[in-house]
Amino acid sequence: MTRHEASPYATVMDDSQLTGRPIVLKGAGPYGGDLEVAEPLVTGGKTWADVDRDICMHAEQFPTKRWWIAFSVALAFLGLLVFALITLFYAGMGVTGVNQPVGWGSFIINFVFWIGIGHAGTLISAVLFLFRQQWRTGINRAAEAMTLFAVACAGIFPVIHLGRPWFAYWLVPYPNARGPLWINFNSPLAWDIFAISTYGLVSLTFWYVGLLPDLATVRDRATHPWRKAIYNALSFGWNGSHRAWRHYESAYMVLAALATPLVFSVHTIVSFDFATSVIPGWHTTIFPPYFVIGAIFSGFAMVITLMTFMRGYFGMKHYITINHMELMAKILMLTGMLVGFAYSTEFFMAWYSGSEWEGFIFRNRAFGPYWWAYAIMFTCNAIVPQIFWFKSMRRHTWVLFVVSILVNVGMWFERYVIVVTSLHRDYLPSSWGMYALTRWDYAILLGSFGLFFTLFLLFVRFLPVVAMSEVKGVMDPRVARSAGPSPASSGATLQEV
Amino acid sequence: MMPISTTGVLAEFYEPAEALAAAVKVRDAGWTHFDFLTPFPVHGLDDAMGQKRSWIPWATAALALGGILFAQGLQNYVMVYDWPMNFGGKPHAAWPSFVPVTFEAMVFWAALGSAAIAIIAGKRDTVPQPPPDVPTGATVDRFVLWISATDPKWQAEGAQQFARSLGAGNVRLINGGADV
């Protein structure tokens, strides 16, 4: 058996035949033993030409009724966001729930929540790329788009939290006529500006570089001259030249290598906003890894939510197979356990440190007036994902979907617990207080989901939702080739051409 | 930007392995102005075509260094020279708190710069390409050999013969931007 024949993706399989276990080829190993090969990443015996058809179809046909309904709902929530923001700017911060002593409210919670969701895309595209995880090709495009839209949602919140958002540009260090008055580079809040904007722009670059060959594919399929011209300009006239691929691949590798530490740095710096303060419950060294792992956890949950829709409604089952979902479920379970471990470590340290304030804060978190938020957080994040010990649960679409939603609910409450419970009872019992979201807090939270889904639905409408050129690279050529003489006979036909 | 050759030969292959085998023969036959248009990067094809490793990582390193110097320069200028402030008696040049911004600036410069340079390099560090209006199928499922008429060895008949001898399908002479 030649190397080519032993290609791991050789077998034509249908979705229902996937087991999530390797295929054992008896006696096919190099020394006559058994050979275990992975199941194919693309099912249904698709050819390379089928990939283009199946994936570009959604961007080429008139949107379906289902798309319009989803888009209308998303737009309605986006409208709610705009309305709530206008109200907020007109009336001021008094319409929200923040007050003494809880000065950081839902805006900071939502900011950390959305930035966390934004972690999975670049993790999938960069970290899994460096680890040669080829299953990433089916999901990386949509996951990266999700990252961009989540970062866009996150970016709103620190700005509106300023209270005077029209002065947001003061956060950028540039020579100005106010002194010049510079930002304080010792402040984690100033680092955040750099971290978030770098993350957003580098993720955008990474995503766009990945898109270039696919935009050229869309251009070559286009029939309308304007459409051709627009996609040609967007792809910078890509023609598949291998002399360009050489630099492209090198740049993609470099981007992955740069984005990998970047993913870990962003939430680390977000956690510094808390960890460099002297508030009990925030002032801990565990925060950077704890935040990063929580971010990956929530991001993968959101990827599972979106991929469930893409499999179900956009017919991507052949490209995003149940095996992909199972692998993500495994990551979800692992990160869920790490998050649970972090919760336990916090408690242990609160006791072991002997710090009275730290001990009080953690007792108050779990058993104080916000016990219900802590209970939701712990149940959804540390207990629910344990269901994925069972293989049948990891491969069950509805279980995956429900767990992914619960995880994101839990992760929202994690940030709620961190922000609110540490602030509402500080050192002086005379200044204790309670915090509750007002209707405008809820409107802005729901509205941010409107923005997120509006952007995501526009993305599935106009761009290829699966990285076609990357998926083609992990398909078996003997199944995927669609024309020409077969490899065995090419020697005989060469004179006839 | 991208050099375009209006004349040349296009020849199709249908699998990466065929393209790899053909590329070695084209290279060894002494052609220089040739290229393969492929739907995805074929591993080993740059080697088979006789291309060196991409120099993009050197540009990345230079840009990363630029980002580091920029961020260090800005922060030290602001915090030490232009607007020195006393924050709890801490030193003005508090280097640990300059690390996050330095890191972000390094990644920002290196990533965006490398991507831009790679796109430009793909256009300039290349050989004359086939006319863009000739459909090749290379963005779908064809692995297309392109031999440009600018090659010193060029002979219209000879290039077509050569392409056929490699086992290629659909060998086409492109002349003045159109099939002949």
Side-chain angles (χ1 to χ4, degrees):
Chain A
M1 179 171 260
T2 64
R3 186 197 60 78
H4 184 57
E5 279 167 319
S7 151
Y9 313 112
T11 327
V12 178
M13 290 184 91
D14 205 29
D15 293 332
S16 51
Q17 295 171 293
L18 292 176
T19 61
R21 295 193 174 83
I23 304 164
V24 181
L25 302 173
K26 292 278 178 209
Y31 303 107
D34 292 350
L35 183 68
E36 291 196 354
V37 295
E39 288 179 319
L41 292 169
V42 177
T43 58
K46 296 286 183 188
T47 66
W48 285 320
D50 289 338
V51 175
D52 290 358
R53 242 193 318 277
D54 292 350
I55 291 163
C56 293
M57 183 179 83
H58 300 287
E60 285 169 352
Q61 69 192 9
F62 197 73
T64 57
K65 195 187 265 181
R66 228 167 5 205
W67 186 88
W68 279 116
I69 293 170
F71 191 63
S72 316
V73 174
L75 264 189
F77 278 98
L78 178 59
L80 180 67
L81 176 70
V82 173
F83 176 62
L85 288 182
I86 290 171
T87 309
L88 175 72
F89 296 158
Y90 180 75
M93 290 294 276
V95 299
T96 68
V98 290
N99 210 326
Q100 292 297 345
V102 182
W104 279 13
S106 75
F107 292 171
I108 300 297
I109 297 167
N110 297 340
F111 162 67
V112 182
F113 172 74
W114 278 118
I115 279 288
I117 286 182
H119 271 56
T122 308
L123 187 95
I124 288 168
S125 49
V127 180
L128 298 187
F129 178 77
L130 295 182
F131 281 109
R132 300 283 189 275
Q133 295 294 305
Q134 296 190 317
W135 59 277
R136 71 183 263 290
T137 55
I139 55 170
N140 72 338
R141 171 71 41 75
E144 284 175 53
M146 179 205 78
T147 285
L148 294 174
F149 307 146
V151 171
C153 291
I156 295 174
F157 289 103
V159 173
I160 60 176
H161 182 79
L162 294 174
R164 289 187 294 171
W166 46 93
F167 291 133
Y169 65 93
W170 283 12
L171 293 164
V172 182
Y174 68 100
N176 55 63
R178 304 188 298 275
L181 186 61
W182 297 99
I183 58 174
N184 174 11
F185 283 106
N186 292 327
S187 163
L189 301 176
W191 305 342
D192 244 7
I193 306 289
F194 286 87
I196 304 299
S197 53
T198 301
Y199 186 62
L201 286 166
V202 172
S203 297
L204 179 69
T205 308
F206 204 6
W207 179 74
Y208 197 82
V209 167
L211 257 175
L212 281 181
D214 287 0
L215 290 169
T217 303
V218 176
R219 172 201 65 199
D220 289 349
R221 291 173 57 83
T223 44
H224 196 285
W226 283 17
R227 189 177 165 86
K228 234 180 174 52
I230 289 168
Y231 279 100
N232 185 48
L234 288 175
S235 71
F236 297 111
W238 182 266
N239 69 348
S241 154
H242 212 277
R243 290 177 193 272
W245 273 120
R246 176 176 72 124
H247 292 306
Y248 174 97
E249 278 215 285
S250 186
Y252 201 80
M253 176 67 83
V254 157
L255 281 174
L258 288 166
T260 298
L262 184 68
V263 174
F264 295 107
S265 83
V266 177
H267 233 54
T268 299
I269 292 176
V270 169
S271 81
F272 286 166
D273 293 344
F274 298 90
T276 57
S277 69
V278 287
I279 310 280
W282 288 3
H283 188 62
T284 60
T285 48
I286 198 179
F287 257 37
Y290 167 32
F291 268 51
V292 169
I293 221 64
I296 292 164
F297 181 54
S298 65
F300 265 95
M302 188 57 108
V303 173
I304 290 176
T305 311
L306 293 175
M307 293 305 143
T308 308
F309 281 115
M310 284 181 46
R311 278 164 52 81
Y313 288 130
F314 292 96
M316 291 291 163
K317 282 202 169 113
H318 292 300
Y319 303 100
I320 306 165
T321 65
I322 196 72
N323 283 354
H324 290 81
M325 303 301 277
E326 184 183 357
L327 288 164
M328 288 193 280
K330 285 179 181 171
I331 293 180
L332 203 64
M333 184 172 78
L334 172 73
T335 49
M337 287 193 288
L338 285 168
V339 166
F341 179 62
Y343 298 157
S344 317
T345 308
E346 277 191 321
F347 257 85
F348 173 75
M349 288 312 296
W351 165 72
Y352 192 64
S353 67
S355 161
E356 198 182 321
W357 306 111
E358 199 78 10
F360 167 75
I361 278 289
F362 278 92
R363 276 195 304 280
N364 185 50
R365 265 189 195 179
F367 308 111
Y370 290 106
W371 67 271
W372 48 272
Y374 193 87
I376 293 172
M377 168 191 102
F378 201 88
T379 311
C380 291
N381 295 347
I383 296 171
V384 168
Q386 300 299 321
I387 197 173
F388 290 143
W389 283 105
F390 301 99
K391 194 176 184 73
S392 57
M393 296 291 108
R394 295 197 297 266
R395 301 177 72 81
H396 193 293
T397 307
W398 278 105
V399 172
L400 281 162
F401 184 72
V402 171
V403 170
S404 72
I405 299 283
L406 285 178
V407 163
N408 264 324
V409 170
M411 285 309 292
W412 192 87
F413 275 99
E414 180 194 299
R415 281 65 179 250
Y416 185 89
V417 165
I418 291 171
V419 170
V420 176
T421 63
S422 275
L423 289 174
H424 90 116
R425 288 185 174 175
D426 66 0
Y427 300 96
L428 284 174
S430 61
S431 33
W432 286 4
M434 293 293 281
Y435 171 78
L437 275 69
T438 66
R439 73 180 76 168
W440 300 106
D441 285 308
Y442 284 115
I444 290 170
L445 170 60
L446 290 175
S448 67
F449 278 93
L451 174 64
F452 179 76
F453 283 106
T454 303
L455 291 169
F456 198 82
L457 285 162
L458 287 173
F459 158 69
V460 299
R461 177 75 192 86
F462 288 107
L463 292 170
V465 287
V466 171
M468 295 184 285
S469 68
E470 290 188 41
V471 166
K472 286 175 189 171
V474 298
M475 291 164 73
D476 180 43
R478 287 172 307 158
V479 179
R481 57 178 284 154
S482 54
S486 70
S489 62
S490 59
T493 51
L494 91 183
Q495 297 308 325
E496 301 160 20
V497 179
Chain B
M1 267 248 287
M2 184 166 64
I4 301 285
S5 165
T6 52
T7 308
V9 165
L10 286 170
E12 288 177 6
F13 297 91
Y14 305 97
E15 274 189 33
E18 298 170 16
L20 274 169
V24 173
K25 289 181 190 156
V26 181
R27 176 195 70 190
D28 290 348
W31 297 91
T32 47
H33 284 204
F34 75 97
D35 204 346
F36 274 84
L37 313 185
T38 60
F40 52 85
V42 177
H43 292 284
L45 191 54
D46 33 5
D47 200 23
M49 287 166 65
Q51 293 183 284
K52 292 198 191 75
R53 264 186 81 127
S54 171
W55 44 263
I56 294 290
W58 293 104
T60 309
L63 286 157
L65 193 64
I68 292 170
L69 293 176
F70 169 78
Q72 282 294 326
L74 174 71
Q75 292 179 98
N76 281 292
Y77 169 76
V78 166
M79 302 295 285
V80 180
Y81 174 75
D82 196 53
W83 197 270
M85 299 259 279
N86 189 333
F87 296 109
K90 288 171 191 158
H92 294 311
W95 70 266
S97 58
F98 296 168
V99 169
V101 172
T102 308
F103 171 79
E104 300 296 338
M106 176 193 80
V107 170
F108 182 84
W109 280 46
L112 269 67
S114 303
I117 288 172
I119 290 169
I120 296 167
K123 298 281 169 198
R124 300 184 76 103
D125 184 14
T126 186
V127 298
Q129 294 287 314
D133 51 343
V134 175
T136 60
T139 55
V140 187
D141 58 355
R142 304 298 155 92
F143 301 79
V144 185
L145 167 65
W146 160 252
I147 299 177
S148 164
T150 53
D151 193 287
K153 263 171 71 90
W154 172 260
Q155 252 193 326
E157 201 48 43
Q160 290 178 80
Q161 284 288 345
F162 178 69
R164 288 197 190 97
S165 77
L166 297 170
N170 194 15
V171 177
R172 290 184 281 167
L173 178 67
I174 307 296
N175 207 343
D179 279 88
V180 177

